[in-house]
Amino acid sequence: MPMQPWFRDAKLGIFVHWGVYAVDGVPESWSFYTGQVSHERYMKQLDGFTASRYDPRAWADLFARAGARYAVLTARHHDGVALWDSAHGDLNVVRRTPAGRDLIAGYADALRERGLRVGLYYSHSDWNHPDYASTRHPAPDEDPPNPLAHARPGEEDPAAWARFLAYRDGQVGELVDRFRPDLLWFDGEWERTEEQWGMDALAARILAGHPETVLNARMLSHGDYATPEQGAPLQAPDGPWELCLTVNDSWGFQHRDHNHKSVLQLVRYFTETIGAGGNLLLDVGPREDGTLTAEQEERLAGLGAWIGRHAEAVYGTVAGLPPGHHYGPSTLSADRRTLYLFCFDAPRETVSVRGLRNRVRRVSVLGTGAELGHRVTGGLHEVPGVTWLDAPAAGDVDEYATVLAVELDGELDLYRGTGRS
């Protein structure tokens, strides 16, 4: 199936890491895998997961105000605890926690009521399943491999592995058939090869149930888009892509993590991502009761307010100028006739654009509409001069990033040569 067009224009999604790990505020799944906490203590969190204040409509409202067009909820992480009542295994919040109910249906309904696309995260790996560590990657990336993930040499059990794949495929089938997600965000793929995972059959099952489902790159050769994580790529991946990034330093809720990125930093991450043609998937971690912290809500609201003032430069745009033409990110309108330049600091005197062959028709400040003067200096033969845009007045400068709309006399035409030799 071709990539769904909604994804490229979504620009912002909200990642939601929610699970039993929020009870004690420990790293999701990894804390027992690495021995930070005992397996017994980790699983004891099942008794404290209540979802007592979970309001999916409040989530959807906040995500929409943040400017997001989709969200992705952790339906099942590496710990194997499902947020819905699965017929495949009983390790889920309906049967094993005080929450006692399906937590995905309300989420999906609330997002769709607000016009947001529904994404679900699912981990191929399951470090709690009795049949999971029944095989091993031919070249595991751990030495020695963790026994929760890999069988010891000579102790592989093909029948047990087949049972695990049937369990995984059954759960994914439930997600597809019950919730019809617009996007499935897989994880855990590094622990097996594509052949071991049976990716061909899994992809066929998903697309047979819902042909328009978008799949991330952790479906390996069946993925529709790249998923760099935490570190912003210096060179954009080929094709569609998405940067997943935490608001603080943790995916799930952790009591002691107060190192939140500022709204200014999030605006920078966001504009640098969309300026390179990607989406930002911004992660929050609700408490066990389903509420978000005030700090995370404030960050989403602040980012959304900035997007709302500059929506023209966000939605309906494509990647902007390559590095070197403007000292900051930029986007380009779909008709390629308007450049949007992002200026993080208050411009002094002028803003320059290099290598622009087009004649500039008009320059204005998004949000205020103030019109700015412009002129060109220099240039020789096929090498264009520098286009100078007058700096906006202090009252037209945005506190996070000022956006200048540069209307061109035709489709963007750039000089990329080395100049006269």
Side-chain angles (χ1 to χ4, degrees):
M1 295 292 293
M3 184 57 168
Q4 297 301 310
W6 70 262
F7 181 84
R8 287 183 181 271
D9 195 44
K11 307 303 182 185
L12 180 66
I14 305 299
F15 213 175
V16 186
H17 273 66
W18 191 35
V20 299
Y21 37 85
V23 174
D24 290 344
V26 295
E28 61 294 330
S29 304
W30 290 98
S31 52
F32 77 84
Y33 182 86
T34 63
Q36 178 180 337
V37 302
S38 69
H39 182 264
E40 180 182 10
R41 176 187 163 190
Y42 186 93
M43 299 308 292
K44 182 68 175 173
Q45 293 177 106
L46 289 164
D47 298 335
F49 187 77
T50 67
S52 58
R53 299 173 64 193
Y54 173 44
D55 183 353
R57 284 191 172 88
W59 282 13
D61 180 65
L62 176 63
F63 300 164
R65 287 189 288 114
R69 297 291 176 86
Y70 66 108
V72 178
L73 172 64
T74 49
R76 202 216 72 191
H77 208 269
H78 315 313
D79 60 12
V81 182
L83 297 189
W84 78 101
D85 189 11
S86 175
H88 301 272
D90 69 349
L91 186 52
N92 61 67
V93 300
V94 182
R95 304 184 202 179
R96 299 283 295 277
T97 77
R101 65 190 189 281
D102 173 282
L103 300 176
I104 294 181
Y107 156 85
D109 291 344
L111 290 188
R112 290 186 169 120
E113 287 173 5
R114 290 302 306 262
L116 276 65
R117 300 282 181 166
V118 175
L120 295 174
Y121 166 112
Y122 185 89
S123 172
H124 295 292
S125 57
D126 183 341
W127 298 327
N128 258 315
H129 196 283
D131 292 324
Y132 182 65
S134 59
T135 190
R136 57 190 285 113
H137 193 287
D141 60 2
E142 294 178 294
D143 185 21
N146 192 305
L148 291 173
H150 298 275
R152 289 183 292 188
E155 296 185 6
E156 295 88 348
D157 184 344
W161 182 245
R163 289 195 299 270
F164 175 79
L165 289 183
Y167 149 81
R168 184 220 40 195
D169 293 351
Q171 286 201 327
V172 173
E174 288 176 334
L175 294 177
V176 171
D177 295 342
R178 293 187 196 179
F179 309 115
R180 300 186 66 77
D182 300 287
L183 185 152
L184 279 172
W185 209 104
F186 286 94
D187 201 6
E189 82 298 340
W190 68 88
E191 291 193 329
R192 301 289 185 267
T193 66
E194 181 156 0
E195 183 179 10
Q196 286 176 314
W197 283 128
M199 290 297 196
D200 290 351
L202 180 61
R205 169 66 179 89
I206 294 167
L207 297 179
H210 193 214
E212 296 182 351
T213 305
V214 173
L215 305 175
N216 74 335
R218 300 173 194 196
M219 275 292 289
L220 302 176
S221 68
H222 295 280
D224 296 307
Y225 69 94
T227 53
E229 183 173 327
Q230 291 287 50
L234 297 181
Q235 181 173 333
D238 294 333
W241 64 281
E242 165 198 81
L243 170 64
C244 54
L245 179 79
T246 52
V247 170
N248 52 7
D249 293 330
S250 309
W251 296 104
F253 173 70
Q254 294 191 32
H255 308 77
R256 289 175 289 278
D257 184 357
H258 303 293
N259 190 31
H260 294 85
K261 298 170 182 67
S262 67
V263 174
L264 174 60
Q265 289 173 321
L266 293 176
V267 168
R268 288 197 175 205
Y269 270 110
F270 178 64
T271 55
E272 288 169 353
T273 299
I274 66 172
N279 290 352
L280 179 63
L281 184 63
L282 187 61
D283 176 79
V284 294
R287 303 179 185 92
E288 64 81 16
D289 66 2
T291 59
L292 289 168
T293 66
E295 294 89 347
Q296 295 200 345
E297 288 193 0
E298 288 165 3
R299 265 60 174 189
L300 296 190
L303 176 59
W306 182 89
I307 291 174
R309 296 192 296 273
H310 304 95
E312 179 185 324
V314 174
Y315 307 114
T317 64
V318 296
L321 298 168
H325 290 273
H326 162 62
Y327 294 105
S330 62
T331 56
L332 182 64
S333 61
D335 65 5
R336 303 185 65 82
R337 290 172 176 264
T338 303
L339 266 174
Y340 300 99
L341 308 179
F342 301 104
C343 303
F344 297 130
D345 299 313
R348 294 187 299 173
E349 186 182 330
T350 55
V351 174
S352 66
V353 182
R354 298 187 295 175
L356 184 62
R357 287 196 177 108
N358 300 81
R359 183 176 61 84
V360 173
R361 298 178 55 192
R362 181 174 180 267
V363 181
S364 60
V365 182
L366 280 196
T368 71
E371 191 162 341
L372 305 177
H374 56 89
R375 62 191 181 282
V376 177
T377 62
L380 178 65
H381 304 312
E382 77 279 8
V383 182
V386 175
T387 300
W388 300 96
L389 318 176
D390 289 347
D396 295 311
V397 173
D398 188 90
E399 63 177 319
Y400 299 125
T402 304
V403 183
L404 308 184
V406 182
E407 299 173 25
L408 308 175
D409 64 352
E411 292 188 12
L412 177 66
D413 184 11
L414 292 178
Y415 173 75
R416 299 282 290 161
T418 58
R420 181 176 177 180
S421 60

